[in-house]
Amino acid sequence: MLAGYERRNRFLVPVIRPVLGKLLGWRYDGSDAARHRMVRQLPIVGFRPAATGKVG
């Protein structure tokens, strides 16, 4: 989920990574290891659109 977000929002990465580093207390570099470490430290919630089709 996080890797996909970073891929889709590449223009935000230079801002997001330092902010995450401040929140985490260590340098977040976007690597797989850093993502795994981050999700163990911070609660992460992912939202996806509802399935297409008629509801109700």
Side-chain angles (χ1 to χ4, degrees), residues 16-54:
I16 292 171
R17 287 184 180 171
V19 170
L20 285 173
K22 290 276 188 188
L23 289 171
L24 295 165
W26 47 271
R27 185 177 174 272
Y28 175 77
D29 62 8
S31 66
D32 284 342
R35 285 188 203 103
H36 287 284
R37 184 178 175 191
M38 179 178 66
V39 298
R40 284 192 306 267
Q41 186 174 340
L42 290 177
I44 303 290
V45 177
F47 293 94
R48 294 183 181 182
T52 58
K54 268 190 150 175

PDB file of all heavy atoms in Angstrom, residues 16-54:
ATOM      1  N   ILE A  16       7.044  14.155   1.862  1.00  0.00           N
ATOM      2  CA  ILE A  16       6.524  13.108   2.744  1.00  0.00           C
ATOM      3  C   ILE A  16       7.625  12.426   3.540  1.00  0.00           C
ATOM      4  O   ILE A  16       7.486  12.213   4.748  1.00  0.00           O
ATOM      5  CB  ILE A  16       5.733  12.061   1.927  1.00  0.00           C
ATOM      6  CG1 ILE A  16       4.457  12.693   1.395  1.00  0.00           C
ATOM      7  CG2 ILE A  16       5.416  10.833   2.769  1.00  0.00           C
ATOM      8  CD1 ILE A  16       3.727  11.814   0.407  1.00  0.00           C
ATOM      9  N   ARG A  17       8.730  12.086   2.883  1.00  0.00           N
ATOM     10  CA  ARG A  17       9.776  11.333   3.573  1.00  0.00           C
ATOM     11  C   ARG A  17      10.370  12.084   4.761  1.00  0.00           C
ATOM     12  O   ARG A  17      10.502  11.510   5.843  1.00  0.00           O
ATOM     13  CB  ARG A  17      10.844  10.880   2.590  1.00  0.00           C
ATOM     14  CG  ARG A  17      10.317   9.743   1.728  1.00  0.00           C
ATOM     15  CD  ARG A  17      11.362   9.195   0.820  1.00  0.00           C
ATOM     16  NE  ARG A  17      10.792   8.108   0.019  1.00  0.00           N
ATOM     17  CZ  ARG A  17      11.395   7.547  -0.982  1.00  0.00           C
ATOM     18  NH1 ARG A  17      12.612   7.936  -1.324  1.00  0.00           N
ATOM     19  NH2 ARG A  17      10.814   6.582  -1.653  1.00  0.00           N
ATOM     20  N   PRO A  18      10.723  13.369   4.630  1.00  0.00           N
ATOM     21  CA  PRO A  18      11.238  14.076   5.821  1.00  0.00           C
ATOM     22  C   PRO A  18      10.187  14.207   6.936  1.00  0.00           C
ATOM     23  O   PRO A  18      10.522  14.123   8.119  1.00  0.00           O
ATOM     24  CB  PRO A  18      11.643  15.451   5.293  1.00  0.00           C
ATOM     25  CG  PRO A  18      11.823  15.275   3.826  1.00  0.00           C
ATOM     26  CD  PRO A  18      10.878  14.182   3.433  1.00  0.00           C
ATOM     27  N   VAL A  19       8.929  14.399   6.559  1.00  0.00           N
ATOM     28  CA  VAL A  19       7.866  14.511   7.567  1.00  0.00           C
ATOM     29  C   VAL A  19       7.722  13.186   8.305  1.00  0.00           C
ATOM     30  O   VAL A  19       7.626  13.154   9.537  1.00  0.00           O
ATOM     31  CB  VAL A  19       6.532  14.949   6.926  1.00  0.00           C
ATOM     32  CG1 VAL A  19       5.380  14.821   7.902  1.00  0.00           C
ATOM     33  CG2 VAL A  19       6.637  16.366   6.397  1.00  0.00           C
ATOM     34  N   LEU A  20       7.710  12.091   7.559  1.00  0.00           N
ATOM     35  CA  LEU A  20       7.634  10.782   8.210  1.00  0.00           C
ATOM     36  C   LEU A  20       8.841  10.558   9.109  1.00  0.00           C
ATOM     37  O   LEU A  20       8.714  10.009  10.205  1.00  0.00           O
ATOM     38  CB  LEU A  20       7.528   9.668   7.164  1.00  0.00           C
ATOM     39  CG  LEU A  20       6.180   9.527   6.485  1.00  0.00           C
ATOM     40  CD1 LEU A  20       6.258   8.508   5.356  1.00  0.00           C
ATOM     41  CD2 LEU A  20       5.109   9.134   7.477  1.00  0.00           C
ATOM     42  N   GLY A  21      10.016  10.984   8.665  1.00  0.00           N
ATOM     43  CA  GLY A  21      11.217  10.863   9.484  1.00  0.00           C
ATOM     44  C   GLY A  21      11.080  11.590  10.805  1.00  0.00           C
ATOM     45  O   GLY A  21      11.478  11.083  11.859  1.00  0.00           O
ATOM     46  N   LYS A  22      10.492  12.781  10.770  1.00  0.00           N
ATOM     47  CA  LYS A  22      10.273  13.544  12.016  1.00  0.00           C
ATOM     48  C   LYS A  22       9.302  12.804  12.935  1.00  0.00           C
ATOM     49  O   LYS A  22       9.506  12.718  14.145  1.00  0.00           O
ATOM     50  CB  LYS A  22       9.713  14.938  11.711  1.00  0.00           C
ATOM     51  CG  LYS A  22      10.691  15.854  11.056  1.00  0.00           C
ATOM     52  CD  LYS A  22      11.552  16.496  12.090  1.00  0.00           C
ATOM     53  CE  LYS A  22      12.399  17.556  11.408  1.00  0.00           C
ATOM     54  NZ  LYS A  22      13.387  18.100  12.293  1.00  0.00           N
ATOM     55  N   LEU A  23       8.215  12.278  12.369  1.00  0.00           N
ATOM     56  CA  LEU A  23       7.234  11.551  13.172  1.00  0.00           C
ATOM     57  C   LEU A  23       7.819  10.281  13.771  1.00  0.00           C
ATOM     58  O   LEU A  23       7.504   9.918  14.908  1.00  0.00           O
ATOM     59  CB  LEU A  23       6.014  11.177  12.316  1.00  0.00           C
ATOM     60  CG  LEU A  23       5.099  12.307  11.891  1.00  0.00           C
ATOM     61  CD1 LEU A  23       4.083  11.800  10.872  1.00  0.00           C
ATOM     62  CD2 LEU A  23       4.386  12.875  13.102  1.00  0.00           C
ATOM     63  N   LEU A  24       8.646   9.610  12.989  1.00  0.00           N
ATOM     64  CA  LEU A  24       9.199   8.326  13.409  1.00  0.00           C
ATOM     65  C   LEU A  24      10.393   8.456  14.335  1.00  0.00           C
ATOM     66  O   LEU A  24      10.673   7.566  15.122  1.00  0.00           O
ATOM     67  CB  LEU A  24       9.599   7.508  12.172  1.00  0.00           C
ATOM     68  CG  LEU A  24       8.447   7.096  11.257  1.00  0.00           C
ATOM     69  CD1 LEU A  24       8.981   6.637   9.906  1.00  0.00           C
ATOM     70  CD2 LEU A  24       7.622   6.007  11.916  1.00  0.00           C
ATOM     71  N   GLY A  25      11.148   9.555  14.186  1.00  0.00           N
ATOM     72  CA  GLY A  25      12.351   9.732  14.983  1.00  0.00           C
ATOM     73  C   GLY A  25      13.580   9.096  14.353  1.00  0.00           C
ATOM     74  O   GLY A  25      14.605   8.958  15.003  1.00  0.00           O
ATOM     75  N   TRP A  26      13.471   8.689  13.102  1.00  0.00           N
ATOM     76  CA  TRP A  26      14.592   8.132  12.354  1.00  0.00           C
ATOM     77  C   TRP A  26      14.376   8.436  10.872  1.00  0.00           C
ATOM     78  O   TRP A  26      13.279   8.766  10.444  1.00  0.00           O
ATOM     79  CB  TRP A  26      14.770   6.627  12.590  1.00  0.00           C
ATOM     80  CG  TRP A  26      13.516   5.798  12.501  1.00  0.00           C
ATOM     81  CD1 TRP A  26      12.660   5.512  13.529  1.00  0.00           C
ATOM     82  CD2 TRP A  26      12.958   5.173  11.339  1.00  0.00           C
ATOM     83  NE1 TRP A  26      11.614   4.749  13.079  1.00  0.00           N
ATOM     84  CE2 TRP A  26      11.770   4.518  11.732  1.00  0.00           C
ATOM     85  CE3 TRP A  26      13.339   5.086  10.014  1.00  0.00           C
ATOM     86  CZ2 TRP A  26      10.978   3.799  10.851  1.00  0.00           C
ATOM     87  CZ3 TRP A  26      12.546   4.372   9.121  1.00  0.00           C
ATOM     88  CH2 TRP A  26      11.388   3.738   9.549  1.00  0.00           C
ATOM     89  N   ARG A  27      15.442   8.361  10.082  1.00  0.00           N
ATOM     90  CA  ARG A  27      15.378   8.746   8.667  1.00  0.00           C
ATOM     91  C   ARG A  27      14.595   7.701   7.866  1.00  0.00           C
ATOM     92  O   ARG A  27      15.022   6.565   7.724  1.00  0.00           O
ATOM     93  CB  ARG A  27      16.781   8.874   8.091  1.00  0.00           C
ATOM     94  CG  ARG A  27      16.778   9.387   6.682  1.00  0.00           C
ATOM     95  CD  ARG A  27      18.207   9.573   6.172  1.00  0.00           C
ATOM     96  NE  ARG A  27      18.198   9.922   4.770  1.00  0.00           N
ATOM     97  CZ  ARG A  27      18.198   9.036   3.771  1.00  0.00           C
ATOM     98  NH1 ARG A  27      18.241   7.749   4.042  1.00  0.00           N
ATOM     99  NH2 ARG A  27      18.173   9.436   2.520  1.00  0.00           N
ATOM    100  N   TYR A  28      13.460   8.118   7.341  1.00  0.00           N
ATOM    101  CA  TYR A  28      12.642   7.252   6.481  1.00  0.00           C
ATOM    102  C   TYR A  28      13.113   7.455   5.052  1.00  0.00           C
ATOM    103  O   TYR A  28      13.045   8.548   4.510  1.00  0.00           O
ATOM    104  CB  TYR A  28      11.161   7.613   6.613  1.00  0.00           C
ATOM    105  CG  TYR A  28      10.293   6.834   5.651  1.00  0.00           C
ATOM    106  CD1 TYR A  28       9.970   5.512   5.906  1.00  0.00           C
ATOM    107  CD2 TYR A  28       9.823   7.412   4.483  1.00  0.00           C
ATOM    108  CE1 TYR A  28       9.205   4.780   5.027  1.00  0.00           C
ATOM    109  CE2 TYR A  28       9.057   6.693   3.600  1.00  0.00           C
ATOM    110  CZ  TYR A  28       8.744   5.383   3.868  1.00  0.00           C
ATOM    111  OH  TYR A  28       7.987   4.660   2.985  1.00  0.00           O
ATOM    112  N   ASP A  29      13.603   6.373   4.417  1.00  0.00           N
ATOM    113  CA  ASP A  29      14.135   6.492   3.061  1.00  0.00           C
ATOM    114  C   ASP A  29      13.261   5.853   1.992  1.00  0.00           C
ATOM    115  O   ASP A  29      13.601   5.858   0.816  1.00  0.00           O
ATOM    116  CB  ASP A  29      15.555   5.917   2.996  1.00  0.00           C
ATOM    117  CG  ASP A  29      15.609   4.435   3.319  1.00  0.00           C
ATOM    118  OD1 ASP A  29      14.547   3.786   3.458  1.00  0.00           O
ATOM    119  OD2 ASP A  29      16.735   3.915   3.437  1.00  0.00           O
ATOM    120  N   GLY A  30      12.137   5.286   2.371  1.00  0.00           N
ATOM    121  CA  GLY A  30      11.234   4.689   1.396  1.00  0.00           C
ATOM    122  C   GLY A  30      11.602   3.276   0.977  1.00  0.00           C
ATOM    123  O   GLY A  30      10.935   2.694   0.126  1.00  0.00           O
ATOM    124  N   SER A  31      12.630   2.710   1.568  1.00  0.00           N
ATOM    125  CA  SER A  31      13.014   1.335   1.228  1.00  0.00           C
ATOM    126  C   SER A  31      11.992   0.356   1.812  1.00  0.00           C
ATOM    127  O   SER A  31      11.199   0.709   2.694  1.00  0.00           O
ATOM    128  CB  SER A  31      14.398   1.026   1.780  1.00  0.00           C
ATOM    129  OG  SER A  31      14.374   1.028   3.191  1.00  0.00           O
ATOM    130  N   ASP A  32      12.013  -0.871   1.317  1.00  0.00           N
ATOM    131  CA  ASP A  32      11.113  -1.891   1.865  1.00  0.00           C
ATOM    132  C   ASP A  32      11.338  -2.075   3.363  1.00  0.00           C
ATOM    133  O   ASP A  32      10.391  -2.184   4.127  1.00  0.00           O
ATOM    134  CB  ASP A  32      11.312  -3.229   1.152  1.00  0.00           C
ATOM    135  CG  ASP A  32      10.690  -3.255  -0.235  1.00  0.00           C
ATOM    136  OD1 ASP A  32       9.817  -2.397  -0.521  1.00  0.00           O
ATOM    137  OD2 ASP A  32      11.075  -4.129  -1.032  1.00  0.00           O
ATOM    138  N   ALA A  33      12.612  -2.089   3.765  1.00  0.00           N
ATOM    139  CA  ALA A  33      12.924  -2.254   5.192  1.00  0.00           C
ATOM    140  C   ALA A  33      12.362  -1.095   6.016  1.00  0.00           C
ATOM    141  O   ALA A  33      11.811  -1.302   7.105  1.00  0.00           O
ATOM    142  CB  ALA A  33      14.431  -2.365   5.394  1.00  0.00           C
ATOM    143  N   ALA A  34      12.479   0.128   5.495  1.00  0.00           N
ATOM    144  CA  ALA A  34      11.957   1.297   6.215  1.00  0.00           C
ATOM    145  C   ALA A  34      10.436   1.246   6.295  1.00  0.00           C
ATOM    146  O   ALA A  34       9.854   1.589   7.322  1.00  0.00           O
ATOM    147  CB  ALA A  34      12.408   2.584   5.536  1.00  0.00           C
ATOM    148  N   ARG A  35       9.779   0.813   5.224  1.00  0.00           N
ATOM    149  CA  ARG A  35       8.311   0.697   5.262  1.00  0.00           C
ATOM    150  C   ARG A  35       7.869  -0.321   6.293  1.00  0.00           C
ATOM    151  O   ARG A  35       6.931  -0.077   7.056  1.00  0.00           O
ATOM    152  CB  ARG A  35       7.775   0.311   3.881  1.00  0.00           C
ATOM    153  CG  ARG A  35       7.782   1.432   2.912  1.00  0.00           C
ATOM    154  CD  ARG A  35       7.047   1.045   1.627  1.00  0.00           C
ATOM    155  NE  ARG A  35       7.516   1.890   0.563  1.00  0.00           N
ATOM    156  CZ  ARG A  35       8.377   1.506  -0.387  1.00  0.00           C
ATOM    157  NH1 ARG A  35       8.819   0.271  -0.428  1.00  0.00           N
ATOM    158  NH2 ARG A  35       8.752   2.358  -1.318  1.00  0.00           N
ATOM    159  N   HIS A  36       8.528  -1.474   6.338  1.00  0.00           N
ATOM    160  CA  HIS A  36       8.180  -2.498   7.328  1.00  0.00           C
ATOM    161  C   HIS A  36       8.391  -1.978   8.749  1.00  0.00           C
ATOM    162  O   HIS A  36       7.556  -2.198   9.625  1.00  0.00           O
ATOM    163  CB  HIS A  36       9.005  -3.764   7.101  1.00  0.00           C
ATOM    164  CG  HIS A  36       8.583  -4.531   5.894  1.00  0.00           C
ATOM    165  ND1 HIS A  36       7.458  -5.308   5.857  1.00  0.00           N
ATOM    166  CD2 HIS A  36       9.137  -4.621   4.666  1.00  0.00           C
ATOM    167  CE1 HIS A  36       7.332  -5.850   4.671  1.00  0.00           C
ATOM    168  NE2 HIS A  36       8.342  -5.444   3.923  1.00  0.00           N
ATOM    169  N   ARG A  37       9.489  -1.268   8.954  1.00  0.00           N
ATOM    170  CA  ARG A  37       9.768  -0.706  10.278  1.00  0.00           C
ATOM    171  C   ARG A  37       8.707   0.328  10.650  1.00  0.00           C
ATOM    172  O   ARG A  37       8.231   0.367  11.790  1.00  0.00           O
ATOM    173  CB  ARG A  37      11.156  -0.065  10.274  1.00  0.00           C
ATOM    174  CG  ARG A  37      11.588   0.473  11.603  1.00  0.00           C
ATOM    175  CD  ARG A  37      12.987   1.047  11.526  1.00  0.00           C
ATOM    176  NE  ARG A  37      13.355   1.673  12.786  1.00  0.00           N
ATOM    177  CZ  ARG A  37      14.411   2.431  12.957  1.00  0.00           C
ATOM    178  NH1 ARG A  37      15.237   2.657  11.965  1.00  0.00           N
ATOM    179  NH2 ARG A  37      14.663   2.980  14.128  1.00  0.00           N
ATOM    180  N   MET A  38       8.318   1.166   9.684  1.00  0.00           N
ATOM    181  CA  MET A  38       7.335   2.209   9.949  1.00  0.00           C
ATOM    182  C   MET A  38       5.980   1.621  10.334  1.00  0.00           C
ATOM    183  O   MET A  38       5.361   2.074  11.297  1.00  0.00           O
ATOM    184  CB  MET A  38       7.156   3.121   8.731  1.00  0.00           C
ATOM    185  CG  MET A  38       6.121   4.204   8.981  1.00  0.00           C
ATOM    186  SD  MET A  38       5.894   5.352   7.633  1.00  0.00           S
ATOM    187  CE  MET A  38       5.223   4.309   6.385  1.00  0.00           C
ATOM    188  N   VAL A  39       5.494   0.614   9.609  1.00  0.00           N
ATOM    189  CA  VAL A  39       4.164   0.079   9.916  1.00  0.00           C
ATOM    190  C   VAL A  39       4.144  -0.671  11.249  1.00  0.00           C
ATOM    191  O   VAL A  39       3.078  -0.837  11.831  1.00  0.00           O
ATOM    192  CB  VAL A  39       3.585  -0.795   8.785  1.00  0.00           C
ATOM    193  CG1 VAL A  39       3.417   0.012   7.523  1.00  0.00           C
ATOM    194  CG2 VAL A  39       4.409  -2.020   8.536  1.00  0.00           C
ATOM    195  N   ARG A  40       5.296  -1.100  11.734  1.00  0.00           N
ATOM    196  CA  ARG A  40       5.350  -1.685  13.074  1.00  0.00           C
ATOM    197  C   ARG A  40       5.302  -0.597  14.147  1.00  0.00           C
ATOM    198  O   ARG A  40       4.880  -0.842  15.268  1.00  0.00           O
ATOM    199  CB  ARG A  40       6.611  -2.524  13.239  1.00  0.00           C
ATOM    200  CG  ARG A  40       6.540  -3.868  12.530  1.00  0.00           C
ATOM    201  CD  ARG A  40       7.670  -4.796  12.931  1.00  0.00           C
ATOM    202  NE  ARG A  40       8.983  -4.200  12.755  1.00  0.00           N
ATOM    203  CZ  ARG A  40       9.744  -4.319  11.658  1.00  0.00           C
ATOM    204  NH1 ARG A  40       9.307  -5.012  10.635  1.00  0.00           N
ATOM    205  NH2 ARG A  40      10.934  -3.753  11.586  1.00  0.00           N
ATOM    206  N   GLN A  41       5.731   0.621  13.774  1.00  0.00           N
ATOM    207  CA  GLN A  41       5.823   1.709  14.750  1.00  0.00           C
ATOM    208  C   GLN A  41       4.583   2.608  14.747  1.00  0.00           C
ATOM    209  O   GLN A  41       4.166   3.085  15.791  1.00  0.00           O
ATOM    210  CB  GLN A  41       7.069   2.549  14.436  1.00  0.00           C
ATOM    211  CG  GLN A  41       7.366   3.613  15.453  1.00  0.00           C
ATOM    212  CD  GLN A  41       8.691   4.303  15.167  1.00  0.00           C
ATOM    213  OE1 GLN A  41       9.552   3.773  14.462  1.00  0.00           O
ATOM    214  NE2 GLN A  41       8.857   5.489  15.698  1.00  0.00           N
ATOM    215  N   LEU A  42       4.022   2.875  13.575  1.00  0.00           N
ATOM    216  CA  LEU A  42       2.866   3.771  13.455  1.00  0.00           C
ATOM    217  C   LEU A  42       1.637   3.007  12.991  1.00  0.00           C
ATOM    218  O   LEU A  42       1.739   2.176  12.103  1.00  0.00           O
ATOM    219  CB  LEU A  42       3.138   4.869  12.417  1.00  0.00           C
ATOM    220  CG  LEU A  42       4.147   5.939  12.742  1.00  0.00           C
ATOM    221  CD1 LEU A  42       4.315   6.867  11.544  1.00  0.00           C
ATOM    222  CD2 LEU A  42       3.724   6.741  13.945  1.00  0.00           C
ATOM    223  N   PRO A  43       0.477   3.304  13.553  1.00  0.00           N
ATOM    224  CA  PRO A  43      -0.740   2.687  13.025  1.00  0.00           C
ATOM    225  C   PRO A  43      -1.023   3.249  11.634  1.00  0.00           C
ATOM    226  O   PRO A  43      -0.991   4.453  11.417  1.00  0.00           O
ATOM    227  CB  PRO A  43      -1.831   3.092  14.023  1.00  0.00           C
ATOM    228  CG  PRO A  43      -1.269   4.235  14.785  1.00  0.00           C
ATOM    229  CD  PRO A  43       0.219   4.179  14.677  1.00  0.00           C
ATOM    230  N   ILE A  44      -1.255   2.390  10.684  1.00  0.00           N
ATOM    231  CA  ILE A  44      -1.504   2.781   9.303  1.00  0.00           C
ATOM    232  C   ILE A  44      -2.865   2.226   8.887  1.00  0.00           C
ATOM    233  O   ILE A  44      -3.172   1.057   9.132  1.00  0.00           O
ATOM    234  CB  ILE A  44      -0.425   2.203   8.358  1.00  0.00           C
ATOM    235  CG1 ILE A  44       0.958   2.647   8.781  1.00  0.00           C
ATOM    236  CG2 ILE A  44      -0.707   2.562   6.909  1.00  0.00           C
ATOM    237  CD1 ILE A  44       1.260   4.108   8.569  1.00  0.00           C
ATOM    238  N   VAL A  45      -3.670   3.061   8.256  1.00  0.00           N
ATOM    239  CA  VAL A  45      -4.969   2.641   7.750  1.00  0.00           C
ATOM    240  C   VAL A  45      -5.011   2.960   6.269  1.00  0.00           C
ATOM    241  O   VAL A  45      -4.675   4.069   5.857  1.00  0.00           O
ATOM    242  CB  VAL A  45      -6.125   3.384   8.473  1.00  0.00           C
ATOM    243  CG1 VAL A  45      -7.472   2.996   7.892  1.00  0.00           C
ATOM    244  CG2 VAL A  45      -6.072   3.120   9.955  1.00  0.00           C
ATOM    245  N   GLY A  46      -5.404   1.992   5.466  1.00  0.00           N
ATOM    246  CA  GLY A  46      -5.530   2.214   4.031  1.00  0.00           C
ATOM    247  C   GLY A  46      -6.991   2.203   3.625  1.00  0.00           C
ATOM    248  O   GLY A  46      -7.767   1.371   4.104  1.00  0.00           O
ATOM    249  N   PHE A  47      -7.376   3.109   2.765  1.00  0.00           N
ATOM    250  CA  PHE A  47      -8.740   3.178   2.270  1.00  0.00           C
ATOM    251  C   PHE A  47      -8.745   2.881   0.778  1.00  0.00           C
ATOM    252  O   PHE A  47      -7.850   3.313   0.056  1.00  0.00           O
ATOM    253  CB  PHE A  47      -9.335   4.579   2.497  1.00  0.00           C
ATOM    254  CG  PHE A  47      -9.536   4.903   3.941  1.00  0.00           C
ATOM    255  CD1 PHE A  47      -8.565   5.595   4.640  1.00  0.00           C
ATOM    256  CD2 PHE A  47     -10.686   4.511   4.596  1.00  0.00           C
ATOM    257  CE1 PHE A  47      -8.742   5.890   5.973  1.00  0.00           C
ATOM    258  CE2 PHE A  47     -10.863   4.812   5.937  1.00  0.00           C
ATOM    259  CZ  PHE A  47      -9.887   5.496   6.627  1.00  0.00           C
ATOM    260  N   ARG A  48      -9.731   2.154   0.341  1.00  0.00           N
ATOM    261  CA  ARG A  48      -9.910   1.860  -1.072  1.00  0.00           C
ATOM    262  C   ARG A  48     -11.350   2.185  -1.448  1.00  0.00           C
ATOM    263  O   ARG A  48     -12.241   2.088  -0.606  1.00  0.00           O
ATOM    264  CB  ARG A  48      -9.650   0.379  -1.360  1.00  0.00           C
ATOM    265  CG  ARG A  48      -8.220   0.001  -1.128  1.00  0.00           C
ATOM    266  CD  ARG A  48      -8.012  -1.421  -1.486  1.00  0.00           C
ATOM    267  NE  ARG A  48      -6.614  -1.750  -1.223  1.00  0.00           N
ATOM    268  CZ  ARG A  48      -6.081  -2.912  -1.463  1.00  0.00           C
ATOM    269  NH1 ARG A  48      -6.826  -3.877  -1.951  1.00  0.00           N
ATOM    270  NH2 ARG A  48      -4.821  -3.127  -1.215  1.00  0.00           N
ATOM    271  N   PRO A  49     -11.566   2.530  -2.724  1.00  0.00           N
ATOM    272  CA  PRO A  49     -12.944   2.783  -3.145  1.00  0.00           C
ATOM    273  C   PRO A  49     -13.791   1.516  -2.994  1.00  0.00           C
ATOM    274  O   PRO A  49     -13.269   0.399  -3.091  1.00  0.00           O
ATOM    275  CB  PRO A  49     -12.811   3.166  -4.622  1.00  0.00           C
ATOM    276  CG  PRO A  49     -11.368   3.414  -4.867  1.00  0.00           C
ATOM    277  CD  PRO A  49     -10.597   2.718  -3.788  1.00  0.00           C
ATOM    278  N   ALA A  50     -15.058   1.723  -2.772  1.00  0.00           N
ATOM    279  CA  ALA A  50     -15.977   0.585  -2.700  1.00  0.00           C
ATOM    280  C   ALA A  50     -16.019  -0.113  -4.046  1.00  0.00           C
ATOM    281  O   ALA A  50     -15.751   0.492  -5.084  1.00  0.00           O
ATOM    282  CB  ALA A  50     -17.372   1.081  -2.312  1.00  0.00           C
ATOM    283  N   ALA A  51     -16.348  -1.371  -4.033  1.00  0.00           N
ATOM    284  CA  ALA A  51     -16.469  -2.130  -5.273  1.00  0.00           C
ATOM    285  C   ALA A  51     -17.515  -1.468  -6.174  1.00  0.00           C
ATOM    286  O   ALA A  51     -18.528  -0.941  -5.700  1.00  0.00           O
ATOM    287  CB  ALA A  51     -16.859  -3.566  -4.966  1.00  0.00           C
ATOM    288  N   THR A  52     -17.242  -1.489  -7.467  1.00  0.00           N
ATOM    289  CA  THR A  52     -18.206  -0.906  -8.397  1.00  0.00           C
ATOM    290  C   THR A  52     -19.424  -1.806  -8.536  1.00  0.00           C
ATOM    291  O   THR A  52     -19.370  -2.994  -8.284  1.00  0.00           O
ATOM    292  CB  THR A  52     -17.561  -0.704  -9.784  1.00  0.00           C
ATOM    293  OG1 THR A  52     -17.094  -1.957 -10.253  1.00  0.00           O
ATOM    294  CG2 THR A  52     -16.411   0.291  -9.701  1.00  0.00           C
ATOM    295  N   GLY A  53     -20.484  -1.222  -8.908  1.00  0.00           N
ATOM    296  CA  GLY A  53     -21.740  -1.969  -9.044  1.00  0.00           C
ATOM    297  C   GLY A  53     -22.821  -1.289  -8.235  1.00  0.00           C
ATOM    298  O   GLY A  53     -22.587  -0.353  -7.486  1.00  0.00           O
ATOM    299  N   LYS A  54     -24.007  -1.774  -8.407  1.00  0.00           N
ATOM    300  CA  LYS A  54     -25.142  -1.193  -7.682  1.00  0.00           C
ATOM    301  C   LYS A  54     -25.117  -1.573  -6.218  1.00  0.00           C
ATOM    302  O   LYS A  54     -24.855  -2.716  -5.862  1.00  0.00           O
ATOM    303  CB  LYS A  54     -26.454  -1.675  -8.294  1.00  0.00           C
ATOM    304  CG  LYS A  54     -26.993  -0.781  -9.333  1.00  0.00           C
ATOM    305  CD  LYS A  54     -28.385  -1.216  -9.687  1.00  0.00           C
ATOM    306  CE  LYS A  54     -29.161   0.001 -10.126  1.00  0.00           C
ATOM    307  NZ  LYS A  54     -30.479  -0.358 -10.583  1.00  0.00           N
TER     308      LYS A  54
END
